[in-house]
Amino acid sequence: MKIIHITTSLANGGLENMLVDISNRQAEMGNQIAIIVINNNIEPSILNRINKEIRVFLIRRERGSKSLVSGMKFFLILKKLNDYNIVHCHGSSIGKMLSFMSGLKRILTIH
């Protein structure tokens, strides 16, 4: 199975640690995993815990920014990953933003 995880940050918090643990376990089970981090709030120690087989995309948007460049980068990454089966959104704002995507199973986790 191919799974995309989308989150706004990769700081040192419960959401981020859970995301890394789940993604690493899914990769160990033979799934193809991709993680998209939207904002530039990235803790290197958390990033370094991610299994090297997982594709990680860092958009590095300023928090709260409505940058068209960041938006285009995000949608180009999604287009590149168009053959994935599941999109797991880690936050309601991301889930709402992707509600237009049909054909993919979507999972929303509220942390």
Side-chain angles (χ1 to χ4, degrees), residues 97-111:
M97 183 173 59
L98 295 179
S99 64
F100 69 90
M101 296 179 71
S102 61
L104 288 177
K105 293 182 182 174
R106 292 179 302 277
I107 299 170
L108 174 61
T109 302
I110 308 293
H111 301 276

